[in-house]
Amino acid sequence: MATVVEMSPTSEQSEFVLGTPVNKKTPALKVPSLCSMRYGIAFVTHFCNFTLLAQNSIVSITMVAMVNNTDHPPHLNSSTEQLPAGLSGDQHEASKHLPIKAPVYNWSPQTQGIIFSSVQYGMILMQGPGGYLAGKIGTKKVVGIALLGSSLLTLCIPLAANLGLVFFLATRAVQGLMQGTGYGGQFALWQRWAPPNERSRLCTIALSGMILGIFTVLLVGGIISEAFGWPFVFYSFGGGGVLCSLLWFIVIYDDPVSHPWISGPEREYILSSLNQQLSSEEQPLPIKAMLKSLPLWSMCLCTMTHQWLVNTFIIYTPTYISSVFKVNIRDNGFLSSLPFIVAWVLGILGGWLADFLLSKNFRLITVRKFITILGNAPPAALVAALPYIQSSYITTIIFLTISCGLCPLCQAGIYINALDIAPRYASLLMGTSRGLAHSSAVLVPIVAGFFLSQDSEFGWRNFFFVVFAVNLLGLIIYLVFGKADVQEWARERKLTRL
């Protein structure tokens, strides 16, 4: 595939349509699309996100094997000969008859909620600073070091769990700092690598790696746990992350100008499409104007409320299936992963759909809001309906699959809206908005733990209703106040020097 563009040596000869230069007087030039360096950057970032989110969500599937479930006997793991911290004596005796040796812990639902949320504090704190650092010292260094650090800590988690709950939580917390830095830092790439007319596609390719990571860890994690014990899930994804970090350092460069392997026509195409969006000189952050910007606040709030829904799927899909249908970890892993492979496909297609609608002259704000509605309203409604159809095994899985599958459409909507309203500050704003949104990853386990500890049957119903209400509130706010044009405070200002 190739993108036909028209090149011009001067910006005066260009007209901008949706931020993309279209020149009238120079001959058309074919620039490769899928077989280009910018798409290569997107796919490497895809694997980076795959690794970070897989490492972040490993505990969601291994928790089924790590805890003592009194509702039905464990199917795969037994304890080590030496009783680890937190392991009950009866559980230790029972586990001797099972073939795979792996420790089992007696953690309450509240404790499990704390474990789920422990990695998220660092994600909240560091996504904004990660975006800022990447803008200052480069995405290659910031994300590469963060990815390597997270991978090494993943390798250490089984040891930390054996040392005790405090060591386990501390390791997860530090890992969250690394993952937050890596995840927030990557957005600086698209300020310099994504032409506006390909922005939705490139960003959704990169971001969809998160969904593939969740799918893979849920599917493969159950198989590895049953075959070798849950610690090998951490060893597998930790080792894979080290290799991914090496690939990142080799392939990724901060901008097209510095990349040694990019073709000349592609470099010119990217630079000419972005020459009206990047600052020619360093400018101070318009912090006061940002704080007063309703489009910016609506974007942040809608991102945060949508993440309530996303984190519910990531954290509690295996637990919900195990609670309702009492399946073993291998079957649980397969059933839990099914919605995420659908989400991975639809997430990528959503980016192509958004760019297709833009090519048909739909307004940018119309496309962003339409895609955001599709990724918010139907999934939230289906989740709220789950407790009323749990008597039907097939219907429950279908609802879970459809609702989770539609969620990533927002990757081409609300999640890249900062590139529309403030391209100069997109790295900082996207990192900050996603950092704020990640507060849901802390709140969701706490809220769910509260409801589920009160009443298991009605707890799921009440929890899902809260998720539905929160998600709908954020969507309404964005539909009212959301914008997609460059805000006045984000435009380049001429500085007067005396």
Side-chain angles (χ1 to χ4, degrees), residues 359-426:
S359 71
K360 299 301 179 181
N361 296 321
F362 282 86
R363 294 176 61 216
L364 182 56
I365 186 59
T366 302
V367 173
R368 293 287 184 248
K369 290 185 176 181
F370 172 69
I371 295 291
T372 301
I373 290 172
L374 289 181
N376 272 271
L382 291 172
V383 165
L386 284 176
Y388 302 98
I389 53 132
Q390 66 182 24
S391 59
S392 173
Y393 176 85
I394 295 177
T395 306
T396 298
I397 299 301
I398 291 175
F399 272 43
L400 273 173
T401 302
I402 295 175
S403 57
C404 183
L406 291 174
C407 267
L409 292 177
C410 286
Q411 290 175 167
I414 189 66
Y415 288 116
I416 62 172
N417 193 213
L419 286 166
D420 303 322
I421 66 173
R424 301 183 192 282
Y425 310 112

Side-chain angles (χ1 to χ4, degrees), residues 421-440:
I421 66 173
R424 301 183 192 282
Y425 310 112
S427 176
L428 173 64
L429 295 180
M430 292 175 77
T432 302
S433 65
R434 293 304 293 263
L436 292 173
H438 237 84
S439 62
S440 64

Side-chain angles (χ1 to χ4, degrees), residues 167-293:
F167 288 94
F168 185 28
L169 293 175
T171 303
R172 291 266 293 168
V174 177
Q175 185 183 38
L177 294 173
M178 293 291 179
Q179 292 173 354
T181 302
Y183 186 54
Q186 68 179 274
F187 297 119
L189 281 175
W190 307 122
Q191 292 176 252
R192 295 174 173 83
W193 277 99
N197 64 324
E198 299 179 23
R199 186 168 286 161
S200 300
R201 278 171 282 176
L202 291 169
C203 289
T204 52
I205 289 173
L207 292 173
S208 63
M210 299 183 296
I211 306 166
L212 186 62
I214 298 167
F215 163 77
T216 304
V217 78
L218 290 176
L219 179 63
V220 179
I223 298 173
I224 295 175
S225 292
E226 191 167 50
F228 304 106
W230 63 261
F232 280 86
V233 184
F234 292 94
Y235 299 148
S236 300
F237 285 93
V242 173
L243 296 178
C244 186
S245 65
L246 296 179
L247 177 65
W248 176 273
F249 282 117
I250 293 172
V251 176
I252 298 297
Y253 284 79
D254 293 325
D255 54 60
V257 175
S258 61
H259 205 295
W261 305 331
I262 190 173
S263 66
E266 183 183 7
R267 180 186 290 112
E268 290 300 319
Y269 166 55
I270 296 173
L271 294 178
S272 63
S273 69
L274 297 174
N275 63 1
Q276 297 295 313
Q277 296 196 359
L278 297 177
S279 297
S280 58
E281 58 181 310
E282 190 78 13
Q283 297 190 13
L285 282 174
I287 297 178
K288 290 184 179 180
M290 288 179 176
L291 293 176
K292 296 177 181 178
S293 174

Side-chain angles (χ1 to χ4, degrees), residues 66-68 79-80 82-92 103-108 111 115 160-166 168:
M66 295 172 74
V67 300
N68 176 27
S79 67
T80 55
Q82 182 178 0
L83 188 66
L87 184 63
S88 66
D90 292 340
Q91 191 176 342
H92 176 62
V104 183
Y105 305 98
N106 190 22
W107 292 330
S108 67
T111 301
I115 292 170
N162 279 338
L163 292 175
L165 182 60
V166 173
F168 185 28

Side-chain angles (χ1 to χ4, degrees), residues 278-467:
L278 297 177
S279 297
S280 58
E281 58 181 310
E282 190 78 13
Q283 297 190 13
L285 282 174
I287 297 178
K288 290 184 179 180
M290 288 179 176
L291 293 176
K292 296 177 181 178
S293 174
L294 287 178
L296 179 57
W297 277 108
S298 67
M299 180 196 75
C300 292
L301 289 174
C302 187
T303 302
M304 182 175 66
T305 56
H306 185 257
Q307 281 292 306
W308 269 74
L309 188 60
V310 172
N311 282 295
T312 298
F313 287 124
I314 295 173
I315 297 172
Y316 279 104
T317 295
T319 304
Y320 181 72
I321 292 176
S322 177
S323 172
V324 173
F325 300 115
K326 306 297 189 291
V327 297
N328 62 40
I329 191 170
R330 182 183 60 189
D331 295 340
N332 192 336
F334 173 75
L335 293 173
S336 300
S337 64
L338 182 60
F340 290 97
I341 191 61
V342 175
W344 177 66
V345 174
L346 291 182
I348 294 177
L349 293 179
W352 290 87
L353 173 62
D355 283 340
F356 172 78
L357 293 175
L358 291 176
S359 71
K360 299 301 179 181
N361 296 321
F362 282 86
R363 294 176 61 216
L364 182 56
I365 186 59
T366 302
V367 173
R368 293 287 184 248
K369 290 185 176 181
F370 172 69
I371 295 291
T372 301
I373 290 172
L374 289 181
N376 272 271
L382 291 172
V383 165
L386 284 176
Y388 302 98
I389 53 132
Q390 66 182 24
S391 59
S392 173
Y393 176 85
I394 295 177
T395 306
T396 298
I397 299 301
I398 291 175
F399 272 43
L400 273 173
T401 302
I402 295 175
S403 57
C404 183
L406 291 174
C407 267
L409 292 177
C410 286
Q411 290 175 167
I414 189 66
Y415 288 116
I416 62 172
N417 193 213
L419 286 166
D420 303 322
I421 66 173
R424 301 183 192 282
Y425 310 112
S427 176
L428 173 64
L429 295 180
M430 292 175 77
T432 302
S433 65
R434 293 304 293 263
L436 292 173
H438 237 84
S439 62
S440 64
V442 176
L443 296 174
V444 163
I446 294 174
V447 174
F450 170 77
F451 284 117
L452 296 178
S453 63
Q454 301 297 318
D455 188 314
S456 178
E457 179 180 355
F458 293 102
W460 287 113
R461 185 192 66 183
N462 296 335
F463 171 58
F464 288 154
F465 179 77
V466 170
V467 172

